C-alpha cells in the first residue's frame, strides 16, 4: 500500500515480495527465498537458522531429488538455491546442472572440501559461489547479490547480439551498478538502482522492436534440432544468431530467441566439456545407473583446455566474477584435468556422466555438437520413457537448455524477453516426475508440503502457501491413506517413514504445543515429568534407527523442549553402563536418536500430557525403561551434577559397544 | 535479585563452557552456534548438538560395520568419515574433527589397523564431548538462556 508520505511501497516480506510480479519490498533482501539442500541434518539445521537470521525465507531439504521436485513444482518459488556438494542420492554438481538449466536459478555450492579441483568444478558447472564448510552466517548474508547479478546478466545476455550490434553496447554499462550491491545493508540504494534499471530496461525494450512482449518460445525437439543443424552448419564459433535464424527459417522466431538459446547452448557445451575431464578413465565404471546427466566427451579441443587452464588459477572467492567472465567468453571451455580423489570418485559414482561407448568424438571444432545427437539426456530414464521420444539427445538438450528461469519475471527483470520455456516439456516432466517418485519421497513430500504453509505462518514467514497447497494437492490426497497407515506402525522398519510422516503431519500441532513449554523447570519437575512418559518408550524397540535418509524437506523448525533433551542426554549416557537388552550393535545414542529425531513429537508429548494424541507412540524409544528407573533412583537429589558424576563413576565398562574400559569424566569443575 | 544459588550456577555454567574451549573440545564454530541462539530458539545450540549426536550415532554404527567387513571398503569408510567430519566441524567439535581427519588419512593409506585404532579414539573423543556438552546444557538450562549466549570474554578461544 502506498503511503502518501513519500515513503516507498512497503510490502512485508512474508507476502513473498520477491516473487515475480509482486511489488518490491522496501526491505530487500528480506524475504529472499532460499532453498537449502544438504544431507547432513546438523548442517541443514544450522544453515536454516542462519538464513532465517538473515531474514530470508528458508526451505530446507535433505535430498536433491526432493529439492528438484520442489523447484519444478514451484517454478517461481525460489530465488536462490544453496546445495552441498556431497550428497548420497545425487551429486551436488549434477543438481547444480539441473537447476541451472531447468530453472535457471543461481546456485551456491557448499562443501567441507576446499580442494581447488572441487572448487573449480563448481565454477565450471556454473555455481554462483562456493562456500567452504563450516559456513558462517557472514557468508550467507551476501548471497542475495548473486540473485541480482544473475538477473542482470541474464537480461543483458538475452539481448546480446553475437554480431555485436551497437544498440546493445550501452547496455554493457549496467554492471557498474553492481558496485552498489556489494553491501547487503545498502537497501535504499538497491531500490533506487533497481527502479532506475527498470526504467532503462523499459526504454530499451521499446527501442528494440523485436523485444516487445512476444510469446515465449518453446524450444521443441524439432526446433532445437533445426537450431543445432544451423549451428553445425555455420560452425560453433561462427554461429551468430542472425545467421542461425536465417538458416532455421522458422516464422515467428526472432533473433533474440535464437541468441538466448545460443547462450544457453554454449553454456551447456561448456559444462559438458568441463565435466568430461573427470571422466577420462572412468568410462567403464559408471555405466550401470539408469539415470544420466549430461553426456561428457572424453576428448576436448585445444581451445577448451587452454581457456580453462588459464582460468584455473582464479581463487574460489572470485567465483562469481569468473563465472560471469566465462559466460562472456565464447570459446571458454572448462577443461582442466583434475585429479580425482577418492571422495569425488564416490560422490560421483551415482551421477557420473554416462558416455556410451560410441561417443569418443574427434578433435574437430564441431564435435561437441555432434555429440549431442547421441547423448543421453539429463532427464531420468523414466522421464525419458515418459516422453516417448527416441531421440534422446534433443530432449535432453531441450530440458537442459531451454528451461529458463521464471525469475526473469521478477520485478527487477520484468522484461518481455523471449525466454525460451519448456513449459510443455516441464509439464510432462512434472507429471512424470511426480508419478515416478519413490513412495517414500512422495509420502515425505506431502506432509511436509501441506504443512509448510502452516508452519511458516506460525513463524511469520510464508513459503508460498497458496502455490504449495495447490501444487501438492494431488500428493496429499493420494497419499493420505498411506500416510495414515504409517502413523501407528509399531516397531516396524518403516518407522523411518512413520516418524517422518508423524513429524510432518503433526508439525502444526506440535508448534502450538511446544510454545508453552519453554522455560527451565527444576530438576525435580524435569524428571517427574519425564518418568511417566518414559513408559511409552518401551513399546517400540527395533533395530532400525536410521531414518535420516527419509528426512523430508521441512519448513520451519521445532524448538525442542529442554526437558526432552535433558532426558535423552541422561538416558543415553546411561545406556553405556547398563546391561542392555538391546543388541550390542545398537547405536549408543539410540535413545537420543529417537528423541532427537522426533523432537517435536516428544516435546509436545511432554507438554500436553494426555490431551495430545500425537502418534508419537509410533516413534521408537528403545531401551529406555530400565535406564529410566536408574535415573529415577539416582537423580532425586539436590545436586544434579554430583548425582550425574556418581552415576558415571559407578559405571564399569562405560561403552560396551565401543569397547571402552572404565572411562571417567575428567576436568569437571564442580 | 539473584540468589546465591543462581549466581553459583551461573559461574559453573561459565566455567563449564570455558573449559570446553580451553581443553580444545570445541572451537569457534561453537560460538557461531551460540550466536545463532535467540529468543525464538533459546535452546538452539543444544538442539543442534542433539541432531549431531543422533546422526553421529548412525554414522558410528555404520562405520563400525564397515570396518568389520572383509575386505574393508576404504572408499566407503572415507565417504562416511567425510560426512562425520563435516557434521563435527559444523558444531565445532574440534577433537572429534581431528580424529576424523586422521582416520581419513589411514583410509587413504588403506591401513586397516590404523583406521580401527583411530576410530576407537574417535569414539572416545566423541563420547567425552557428548558427556561434557550434556552436563553443560543441563547446567545452562537451569540458569536460563542468557548464560549460554556468547559473551565477549569467551571469544578469546585458543
Amino acid at each position: 500500500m502506498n503511503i502518501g508520505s513519500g515513503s516507498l511501497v512497503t510490502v512485508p516480506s512474508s507476502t513473498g515480495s520477491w516473487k515475480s510480479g509482486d511489488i518490491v519490498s522496501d526491505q530487500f533482501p528480506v524475504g529472499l527465498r532460499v532453498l537449502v539442500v544438504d544431507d547432513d541434518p546438523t548442517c541443514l539445521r544450522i544453515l536454516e537458522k542462519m538464513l532465517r537470521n538473515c531474514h530470508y525465507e528458508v526451505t530446507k531439504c535433505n535430498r536433491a531429488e526432493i529439492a528438484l521436485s520442489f523447484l519444478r513444482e514451484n517454478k517461481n518459488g525460489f530465488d536462490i538455491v544453496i546445495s552441498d556438494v556431497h550428497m548420497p542420492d545425487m551429486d551436488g554438481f549434477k543438481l547444480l546442472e539441473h537447476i541451472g538449466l531447468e530453472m535457471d536459478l543461481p546456485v551456491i555450492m557448499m562443501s567441507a572440501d576446499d580442494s581447488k579441483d572441487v572448487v573449480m568444478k563448481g565454477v565450471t558447472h556454473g555455481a554462483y559461489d562456493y562456500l567452504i564448510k563450516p559456513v558462517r552466517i557472514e557468508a550467507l548474508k551476501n548471497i542475495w547479490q548473486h540473485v541480482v547479478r544473475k538477473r542482470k546478466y541474464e537480461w543483458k545476455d538475452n539481448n546480446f547480439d553475437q554480431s555485436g550490434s551497437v544498440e546493445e553496447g550501452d547496455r554493457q554499462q549496467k554492471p557498474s551498478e553492481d558496485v552498489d550491491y556489494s553491501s547487503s545493508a545498502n537497501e535504499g540504494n538497491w531500490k533506487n538502482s533497481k527502479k532506475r534499471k527498470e526504467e532503462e530496461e523499459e526504454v530499451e525494450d521499446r527501442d528494440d522492436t523485436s523485444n516487445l512482449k512476444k510469446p515465449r518460445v518453446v524450444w521443441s525437439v524439432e526446433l532445437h534440432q533445426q537450431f543445432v543443424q544451423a549451428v553445425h552448419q555455420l560452425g560453433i564459433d561462427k554461429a551468430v544468431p542472425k545467421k542461425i535464424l536465417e538458416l532455421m527459417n522458422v516464422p515467428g522466431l526472432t533473433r533474440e530467441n535464437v541468441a538466448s538459446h545460443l547462450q544457453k547452448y554454449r553454456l551447456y557445451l561448456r559444462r559438458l566439456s568441463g565435466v568430461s575431464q573427470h571422466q577420462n578413465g572412468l568410462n567403464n565404471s559408471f555405466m550401470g545407473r539408469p539415470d544420466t546427466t549430461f553426456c561428457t566427451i572424453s576428448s576436448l579441443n585445444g581451445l577448451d583446455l587452454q581457456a580453462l587452464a588459464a582460468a584455473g588459477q582464479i581463487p574460489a572467492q572470485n567465483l562469481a566474477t569468473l563465472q560471469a567472465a566465462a559466460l562472456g567468453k565464447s570459446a571458454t571451455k572448462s577443461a582442466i584435468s583434475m585429479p580425482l580423489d577418492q571422495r569425488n570418485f564416490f560422490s560421483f559414482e551415482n551421477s557420473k556422466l554416462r558416455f556410451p561407448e560410441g561417443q569418443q568424438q574427434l578433435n574437430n571444432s564441431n564435435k561437441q555438437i555432434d555429440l549431442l545427437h547421441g547423448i543421453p539426456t539429463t532427464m531420468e530414464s523414466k522421464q525419458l520413457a515418459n516422453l516417448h521420444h527416441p531421440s534422446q539427445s534433443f530432449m535432453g538438450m531441450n530440458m537442459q537448455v531451454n528451461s529458463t528461469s521464471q525469475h526473469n519475471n521478477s520485478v527487477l527483470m520484468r522484461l518481455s524477453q523471449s525466454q525460451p520455456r519448456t513449459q510443455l516439456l516441464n509439464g510432462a516432466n512434472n507429471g512424470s516426475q511426480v508419478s515416478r517418485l519413490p513412495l517414500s519421497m512422495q509420502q515425505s513430500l506431502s506432509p511436509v508440503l501441506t504443512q509448510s504453509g502452516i508452519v511458516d505462518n506460525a513463524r511469520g514467514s510464508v513459503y508460498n502457501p497458496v502455490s504449495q497447497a495447490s501444487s501438492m494437492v494431488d500428493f496429499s490426497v493420494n497419499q493420505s491413506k498411506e500416510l495414515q497407515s504409517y502413523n501407528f506402525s509399531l516397531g516396524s522398519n518403516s518407522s523411518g517413514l512413520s516418524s517422518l510422516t508423524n513429524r510432518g503431519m503433526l508439525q502444526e500441532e506440535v508448534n502450538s504445543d511446544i510454545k508453552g513449554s519453554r522455560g527451565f523447570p527444576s530438576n525435580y519437575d524435569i524428571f517427574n515429568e519425564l518418568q511417566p512418559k518414559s513408559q511409552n518408550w518401551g513399546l517400540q524397540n527395533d533395530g532400525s534407527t536410521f531414518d535420516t535418509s527419509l528426512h523430508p524437506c521441512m519448513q520451519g523448525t521445532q524448538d525442542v523442549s529442554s526437558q526432552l533433551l535433558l532426558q535423552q542426554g541422561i538416558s543415553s549416557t546411561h545406556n553405556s553402563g547398563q546391561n542392555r537388552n538391546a543388541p550390542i550393535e545398537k547405536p549408543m545414542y539410540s535413545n537420543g536418536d529417537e528423541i532427537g529425531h522426533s523432537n517435536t513429537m516428544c516435546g509436545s508429548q511432554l507438554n500436553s500430557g494426555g490431551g495430545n494424541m500425537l502418534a508419537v507412540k509410533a516413534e521408537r524409544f528403545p531401551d529406555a525403561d530400565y535406564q529410566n528407573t536408574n535415573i529415577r533412583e539416582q537423580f532425586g537429589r539436590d545436586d544434579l551434577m554430583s548425582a550425574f558424576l556418581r552415576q558415571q563413576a559407578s559405571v564399569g565398562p562405560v561403552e560396551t559397544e565401543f569397547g571402552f574400559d572404565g572411562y571417567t569424566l575428567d576436568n569437571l569443575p564442580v | 535479585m539473584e540468589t546465591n544459588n543462581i549466581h553459583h550456577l551461573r559461574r559453573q555454567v561459565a566455567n563449564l563452557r570455558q573449559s570446553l574451549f580451553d581443553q580444545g573440545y570445541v572451537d569457534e564454530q561453537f560460538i557461531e552456534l551460540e550466536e545463532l541462539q535467540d529468543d525464538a530458539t533459546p535452546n538452539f545450540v543444544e538442539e543442534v548438538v542433539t541432531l549431531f549426536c543422533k546422526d553421529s550415532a548412525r554414522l558410528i554404527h555404520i562405520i563400525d560395520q564397515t570396518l568389520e567387513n572383509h575386505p574393508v571398503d576404504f572408499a566407503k569408510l572415507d565417504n562416511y568419515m567425510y560426512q562425520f567430519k563435516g557434521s563435527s566441524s559444523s558444531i565445532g567439535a574440534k577433537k572429534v574433527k581431528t580424529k576424523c581427519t586422521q582416520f581419513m588419512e589411514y583410509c587413504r593409506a588403506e591401513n586397516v589397523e590404523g583406521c580401527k585404532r583411530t576410530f576407537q579414539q574417535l569414539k572416545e573423543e566423541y563420547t567425552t564431548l557428548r558427556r561434557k556438552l550434556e552436563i553443560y546444557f543441563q547446567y545452562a538450562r537451569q540458569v536460563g538462556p542468557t548464560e549460554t549466549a556468547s559473551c565477549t570474554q569467551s571469544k578469546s578461544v585458543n
Side-chain angles (χ1 to χ4, degrees), chain A residues 571 574-575 578 580 591 622-631:
Chain A
S571 52
H574 288 309
N575 282 350
Q578 316 306 324
R580 305 180 53 180
N591 242 359
D623 309 325
D625 303 356
Y626 57 89
Q627 296 157 2
N628 286 321
T629 56
N630 270 323
I631 297 172

Side-chain angles (χ1 to χ4, degrees), chain A residues 131-147:
Chain A
L131 307 177
I132 306 296
K133 283 181 168 182
V135 177
R136 298 176 80 107
I137 193 171
E138 290 76 22
L140 295 176
K141 274 184 181 152
N142 284 330
I143 61 173
W144 58 268
Q145 62 177 295
H146 300 295
V147 179

Side-chain angles (χ1 to χ4, degrees), chain A residues 233-254:
Chain A
Q233 209 167 324
L234 294 165
I236 185 70
D237 297 326
K238 294 210 186 72
V240 292
K242 270 203 175 108
K243 295 190 182 151
I244 297 173
L245 187 65
E246 284 163 20
L247 277 178
M248 287 176 71
N249 195 21
V250 170
L253 198 63
T254 68

Side-chain angles (χ1 to χ4, degrees), chain A residues 225-239:
Chain A
Q225 198 163 353
Q226 287 179 275
F227 170 82
V228 173
Q229 275 172 1
V231 173
H232 194 162
Q233 209 167 324
L234 294 165
I236 185 70
D237 297 326
K238 294 210 186 72

Side-chain angles (χ1 to χ4, degrees), chain A residues 485-663:
Chain A
S485 71
Y486 275 109
N487 279 351
F488 299 92
S489 62
L490 297 181
S492 67
N493 275 343
S494 65
S495 56
L497 272 176
S498 71
S499 58
L500 149 78
T501 55
N502 284 341
R503 190 189 312 118
M505 303 285 282
L506 302 168
Q507 259 180 358
E508 53 176 330
E509 305 170 43
V510 164
N511 239 347
S512 52
D513 287 340
I514 274 190
K515 277 178 199 137
S517 75
R518 303 270 163 64
F520 302 94
S522 70
N523 298 341
Y524 297 112
D525 290 345
I526 292 171
F527 290 110
N528 289 340
E529 266 189 56
L530 293 180
Q531 299 317 314
K533 298 297 184 280
S534 68
Q535 306 311 316
N536 295 330
W537 295 6
L539 291 177
Q540 296 82 19
N541 188 355
D542 61 76
S544 168
T545 59
F546 308 136
D547 49 25
T548 52
S549 62
L550 295 171
H551 185 102
C553 297
M554 294 218 294
Q555 299 282 338
T557 56
Q558 306 305 323
D559 300 324
V560 181
S561 157
S562 56
Q563 307 123 332
L564 173 60
L565 290 170
L566 169 63
Q567 177 186 27
Q568 72 183 355
I570 295 202
S571 52
S572 65
T573 51
H574 288 309
N575 282 350
S576 54
Q578 316 306 324
N579 293 327
R580 305 180 53 180
N581 305 333
I584 291 293
E585 65 269 12
K586 190 172 258 205
M588 181 172 72
Y589 209 73
S590 55
N591 242 359
D593 283 357
E594 309 323 311
I595 303 171
H597 170 67
S598 60
N599 279 346
T600 61
M601 259 82 60
C602 290
S604 59
Q605 188 183 31
L606 288 171
N607 298 327
S608 55
N612 198 329
M613 49 49 70
L614 298 177
V616 179
K617 300 192 171 104
E619 284 297 318
R620 292 166 283 111
F621 303 108
D623 309 325
D625 303 356
Y626 57 89
Q627 296 157 2
N628 286 321
T629 56
N630 270 323
I631 297 172
R632 204 174 307 151
E633 291 164 15
Q634 304 195 18
F635 288 91
R637 309 170 198 279
D638 288 346
D639 191 342
L640 172 68
M641 181 58 129
S642 55
F644 192 81
L645 288 174
R646 208 168 298 124
Q647 177 71 18
Q648 296 300 320
S650 70
V651 167
V654 171
E655 314 287 353
T656 53
E657 58 197 24
F658 290 177
F660 291 143
D661 285 329
Y663 189 82

Side-chain angles (χ1 to χ4, degrees), chain B residues 90-121:
Chain B
S90 71
I91 70 160
K94 197 170 172 186
K95 290 191 177 184
V96 173
K97 185 168 83 161
T98 305
K99 285 294 162 192
C100 291
T101 308
Q102 288 176 11
F103 183 93
M104 288 166 82
E105 284 165 11
Y106 281 117
C107 260
R108 287 179 198 149
E110 301 206 348
N111 180 339
V112 176
E113 282 317 306
C115 284
K116 287 185 174 174
R117 196 174 52 242
T118 309
F119 192 55
Q120 197 55 35
Q121 295 164 2

